[in-house]
Amino acid sequence: MVLRASIRILGIDPGLQLTGYGVIDFSPAKSRLVDAGVIRLEARQSIALRLVELERELTQIIAEHAPEVIAVEELYAHYAHPRTAILMGHARGVILLCAQRAGIEIVALAANRIKQSVTGHGHASKVQVQRAVQVIFGLKAIPEPPDVADALAVALCCGRMRQTQP
């Protein structure tokens, strides 16, 4: 079995106002940040219009960066905020649709697994994730907004997980 030097991963932190994305070339030796940012969706628009915009923007990012894998956070529903999970599910559905249409492998990861992978603690705070991502990629400042760091953490976790699988 021949191991490739790197794999391009698009990590996504779904949201209906801000969807974070991070594109990395993952390598066990040293991963390289290719691009990262947020897709900003207008909160005053209907959910349907925001989903159309999310699909348009994400399709463009996929076409530009040609990832081999798209990693996305699994849904987590807290009993106190079930509406949040439902709304996130809409955005996540669009993300899965875009990946499937493009014929790209999809990897879903639990939030605590992502945090564990980059910080060593499954219940790390957003700031801890931001600082870990800053250190890993040698950034001058922490990634802002936190959705960017979360997306990069998703991509890193995916790469690390694939590295350990046979």
Side-chain angles (χ1 to χ4, degrees), residues 53-120:
E53 182 62 21
L54 177 59
E55 187 268 341
R56 184 180 4 238
E57 294 283 335
L58 192 53
T59 298
Q60 196 170 23
I61 291 166
I62 290 169
E64 180 181 344
H65 294 294
E68 297 164 74
V69 178
I70 293 180
V72 63
E73 189 175 316
E74 288 178 350
L75 280 182
Y76 171 75
H78 190 275
Y79 69 91
H81 304 287
R83 189 173 193 287
T84 302
I86 292 167
L87 292 175
M88 288 275 284
H90 293 316
R92 196 169 178 278
V94 168
I95 293 161
L96 298 178
L97 173 69
C98 289
Q100 191 65 45
R101 272 192 189 150
I104 300 170
E105 177 186 352
I106 303 163
V107 174
L109 300 161
N112 59 349
R113 183 173 187 178
I114 295 163
K115 291 175 182 180
Q116 174 73 36
S117 176
V118 297
T119 69

Side-chain angles (χ1 to χ4, degrees), residues 15-81:
L16 281 177
Q17 290 187 16
L18 294 177
T19 291
Y21 69 91
V23 181
I24 66 170
D25 286 336
F26 179 84
S27 167
K30 181 157 174 70
S31 296
R32 183 177 70 87
L33 184 122
V34 176
D35 188 20
V38 291
I39 299 170
R40 294 183 187 279
L41 304 170
E42 183 56 53
R44 287 173 280 177
Q45 289 187 331
S46 69
I47 290 175
L49 287 174
R50 285 185 268 170
L51 294 175
V52 167
E53 182 62 21
L54 177 59
E55 187 268 341
R56 184 180 4 238
E57 294 283 335
L58 192 53
T59 298
Q60 196 170 23
I61 291 166
I62 290 169
E64 180 181 344
H65 294 294
E68 297 164 74
V69 178
I70 293 180
V72 63
E73 189 175 316
E74 288 178 350
L75 280 182
Y76 171 75
H78 190 275
Y79 69 91
H81 304 287

